[in-house]
Amino acid sequence: MTPASGVCAMPYRPLGRTGLDVSLIGFGASPLGDVFGKTDPSEGKRAVHLAIENGINLFDVSPYYGLTLAEERLGEALVGKRNQIILATKCGRYGVDQFDFSAKRVFASVDESLQRLKTDYIDLYQAHDVEFGDLNQVINETIPAMRKLQEQGKVRFVGISGYPVKVLVQVAKAAPVDTLLSYCRYNLLINDMDVDLTPFAKENEIGLINAAGLHMGVLTEEGAPAWHPAPHAVQKIGRELAVTCRERGLNISSLALRYCLDHPYVSTTLVGMSKTNQVRQNLELLRIKTDLKLLAELRQVIAPVFNRVWPSGRAENRS
Ligand code: NAD
């Protein structure tokens, strides 16, 4: 892979014991489904192509993002390029309040995703936001169904995703998986992923994917989308951080994402992108180092809301 002129070569890390090497920056495709506001589909396609040309090889999507729109657009963009990348999608979540973790739905869902993504295999198939399911079902029905798909060659590896880190550990202990996707639990605003999840993943050599290094838009100049679940105080601090960085001629997103890329065990950090300028800006991070002095200053601003979480999932699964 030859990077565009001026851009540093992409580092790759092993994804647990899968044998796959994934790019340090992963492409989160939810914005392609207009989750963060309307996007231009041709620009989205160019963003995907630019990312591939510059060595980003992990693309993560779900039928939930834009209610299948993100999968459709990603599938379009990947025509002729499918075999250059590692494709991750999900099953189990189909709307804000629509969940179905039954084996029947898993088997139907994979075929629907394959069709939208215009491919005949998925590299990583993940049960999406397991905390919204009955964990007994996830453990005894969903994951075994996904393993069946692996035997059939429709998917190569199996993982789970979710917000409460303890639930991810609980499920993975009972039904071994190849990867764990955690979101909004390790970035400038929070680090509790490292308390429970990272040591477990490391000990068991499970691939660890850190999603939403920008805290789903909180750590951007634009700020969080209206649907964002973070407490108001967290979103307010995000805006303050953006101003502090801007006053110094810096961009909050660059600082926040670079911080995530420095994590020593995480295989890849997923960042949601739908524009070529975002891809370029995020690739630029490969050549910069975290400004530790500035980071220490920002820590003071963040302190009142550091590690603040929100409830997600069934009452019995919130942790
Ligand atoms: P994110 O933290 O990556 O933030 C995305 C927002 O940041 C978008 O508005 C995007 O336009 C903007 N952005 C990206 N690069 C930027 C830059 N350089 N400057 C300014 N703004 C920039 O949030 P996300 O997209 O929700 O998370 C990343 C990906 O992780 C998702 O697309 C998805 O693939 C995955 N994810 C999975 C789960 C799950 O499985 N439960 C949850 C969250 C995220």
Side-chain angles (χ1 to χ4, degrees):
M1 196 72 60
T2 318
S5 60
V7 174
C8 281
M10 176 65 68
Y12 295 87
R13 286 183 177 177
L15 184 64
R17 279 181 294 182
T18 62
L20 301 174
D21 285 326
V22 291
S23 48
L24 195 60
I25 301 175
F27 193 108
S30 69
L32 293 181
D34 291 349
V35 170
F36 290 89
K38 275 243 171 288
T39 58
D40 168 5
S42 341
E43 173 64 2
K45 198 171 177 178
R46 283 193 291 274
V48 168
H49 293 176
L50 185 68
I52 296 174
E53 280 158 27
N54 286 282
I56 292 180
N57 72 351
L58 181 71
F59 286 73
D60 178 78
V61 71
S62 162
Y64 170 47
Y65 303 147
L67 309 179
T68 70
L69 186 62
E71 277 196 339
E72 265 164 32
R73 287 182 171 166
L74 184 61
E76 272 302 319
L78 291 178
V79 171
K81 297 176 190 293
R82 164 68 186 97
N83 295 336
Q84 297 175 39
I85 63 123
I86 294 164
L87 183 55
T89 191
K90 311 189 185 85
C91 58
R93 180 163 203 174
Y94 304 98
V96 176
D97 297 315
Q98 271 179 277
F99 296 90
D100 188 343
F101 290 97
S102 67
K104 189 170 169 234
R105 189 70 191 97
V106 172
F107 294 136
S109 197
V110 77
D111 290 333
E112 293 162 15
S113 289
L114 288 170
Q115 202 174 13
R116 285 190 289 266
L117 290 163
K118 301 188 194 303
T119 183
D120 56 4
Y121 70 101
I122 284 157
D123 295 289
L124 176 60
Y125 205 41
Q126 303 156 104
H128 196 168
D129 291 342
V130 290
E131 70 271 23
F132 286 92
D134 166 355
L135 296 189
N136 282 323
Q137 185 183 39
V138 172
I139 290 162
N140 298 309
E141 187 175 334
T142 319
I143 295 173
M146 293 161 83
R147 290 291 184 200
K148 276 228 169 66
L149 295 176
Q150 190 178 26
E151 282 164 25
Q152 293 168 7
K154 289 186 180 180
V155 313
R156 294 176 69 199
F157 299 101
V158 163
I160 52 174
S161 83
Y163 182 69
V165 280
K166 286 184 179 151
V167 167
L168 293 175
V169 173
Q170 188 186 337
V171 171
K173 273 186 178 164
V177 290
D178 306 311
T179 62
L180 297 161
L181 187 161
S182 163
Y183 74 97
C184 290
R185 300 306 278 251
Y186 182 88
N187 60 47
L188 277 186
L189 298 170
I190 189 160
N191 69 359
D192 69 354
M193 179 183 86
D194 277 357
V195 177
D196 293 299
L197 194 63
T198 310
F200 172 77
K202 218 167 153 182
E203 201 177 307
N204 294 283
E205 292 178 83
I206 301 173
L208 182 60
I209 298 172
N210 183 26
L214 303 179
H215 216 59
M216 299 194 302
V218 172
L219 297 168
T220 64
E221 276 287 333
E222 292 76 15
W227 51 258
H228 205 291
H232 181 71
V234 174
Q235 301 194 28
K236 187 165 166 276
I237 293 286
R239 289 192 291 274
E240 281 174 40
L241 295 174
V243 172
T244 309
C245 288
R246 200 185 315 134
E247 281 169 358
R248 286 148 200 258
L250 297 165
N251 182 290
I252 181 62
S253 300
S254 296
L255 189 88
L257 196 52
R258 180 63 253 184
Y259 173 82
C260 291
L261 300 182
D262 291 336
H263 192 286
Y265 183 73
V266 162
S267 303
T268 186
T269 297
L270 293 177
V271 55
M273 295 181 271
S274 59
K275 295 181 186 143
T276 47
N277 66 358
Q278 291 168 341
V279 176
R280 274 195 205 93
Q281 190 182 324
N282 296 338
L283 287 167
E284 265 302 309
L285 300 178
L286 298 175
R287 59 160 82 243
I288 66 163
K289 283 206 160 78
T290 300
D291 179 340
L292 295 174
K293 202 164 155 257
L294 176 62
L295 189 64
E297 258 180 67
L298 296 184
R299 285 247 170 275
Q300 307 282 326
V301 181
I302 297 166
V305 298
F306 191 60
N307 276 340
R308 188 83 63 86
V309 295
W310 57 83
S312 175
R314 294 183 176 201
E316 68 271 22
N317 297 337
R318 291 178 185 173
S319 59

